Amino acid sequence: MELTKFGHACVRLEKDGRRLVIDPGGLTGPEALEGADAVLVTHEHFDHFSEEVLRRAAEERPGLRIWTDSSVAKQLDGIGTQVVTTGEGEAFSAAGFDIRVHGTWHAVIHPDIPRIPNIGFMVDDALFHPGDALTVPGAPVDTLLLPVHAPWSTVGDLIDYVREVAPRDTYAVHDGALNDVGTAMVAGFLGERGPGTPTRYRRLAAGESVLID
């Protein structure tokens, strides 16, 4: 399948002419949803979920289906059967991709900030998008989409997470708040010059694509 990176935490996967989009939020341009057959949303934060954009996409494409947690589904009330609520341990097919759901909660930002639901998506038993959590799916991962910058993580957390998941390849997501200096610093720790992870690390530019085998 082909992986294309869009703004911040959003990616599009394409296989056999079908398009699956994950987390088209407020930091993502509308082009990410062009030709989309299905959408997965990990949680309700604005940088992962835009109610306005998804309502418009659902209206323009009656065949579009959106899988997400109960909190996001409530905010999309009125779209009807185009929205499907899912959660930890469930499996389904979306636009010809096999999906398994892992995780329940958003990472802790601070004890005084209430946690919200967050689910991660394993696609075709190969690629994992964890949303805003460092969820270990308990199954082999070939390609990990790594949230490289967030209020709730440190570079040390990322190194330990990549070591535990042990994917073959890691691609950066959740990097919209980093400038060139920040992305280079992260790459220095996660790449070959870092303390060591069992995986290759790469950051795609916005709109850049790569084939995932």
Side-chain angles (χ1 to χ4, degrees):
M1 58 183 161
E2 183 179 61
L3 165 69
T4 302
K5 169 73 184 302
F6 289 93
H8 193 54
C10 179
V11 298
R12 184 180 68 205
L13 303 174
E14 188 167 3
K15 179 182 70 173
D16 301 328
R18 307 282 286 177
R19 289 183 168 183
L20 172 70
V21 178
I22 306 177
D23 279 3
L27 301 179
T28 301
E31 68 276 5
L33 285 166
E34 291 179 0
D37 299 290
V39 176
L40 309 178
V41 179
T42 62
H43 66 288
E44 65 185 59
H45 282 162
F46 87 98
D47 51 336
H48 297 256
F49 164 61
S50 171
E51 179 183 350
E52 178 184 357
V53 168
L54 285 184
R55 284 189 179 276
R56 184 167 60 248
E59 182 178 357
E60 293 174 351
R61 296 178 64 85
L64 182 71
R65 294 292 180 269
I66 303 165
W67 279 265
T68 187
D69 64 31
S70 58
S71 178
V72 173
K74 288 178 182 178
Q75 297 182 52
L76 293 173
D77 185 48
I79 295 181
T81 58
Q82 285 183 263
V83 178
V84 182
T85 301
T86 189
E88 164 76 32
E90 295 191 6
F92 55 90
S93 178
F97 294 85
D98 293 325
I99 311 297
R100 294 185 181 274
V101 181
H102 299 272
T104 305
W105 294 105
H106 191 287
V108 175
I109 300 174
H110 187 276
D112 292 344
I113 300 176
R115 295 177 76 184
I116 62 170
N118 178 94
I119 52 179
F121 297 104
M122 179 81 82
V123 182
D124 283 351
D125 292 324
L127 179 145
F128 186 58
H129 191 314
D132 271 8
L134 300 182
T135 300
V136 178
V141 176
D142 290 333
T143 301
L144 175 66
L145 302 181
L146 180 67
V148 298
H149 180 255
W152 42 265
S153 70
T154 68
V155 170
D157 294 331
L158 300 180
I159 292 170
D160 289 341
Y161 180 54
V162 173
R163 285 176 174 176
E164 186 170 4
V165 177
R168 180 191 60 204
D169 292 291
T170 298
Y171 290 91
V173 294
H174 214 278
D175 54 2
L178 288 177
N179 59 19
D180 290 342
V181 174
T183 56
M185 288 177 62
V186 171
F189 285 107
L190 293 174
E192 295 178 355
R193 298 190 305 274
T197 60
T199 183
R200 296 173 293 192
Y201 172 79
R202 182 178 175 187
R203 178 176 182 261
L204 300 176
E208 186 177 359
S209 300
V210 64
L211 290 177
I212 303 295
D213 56 18

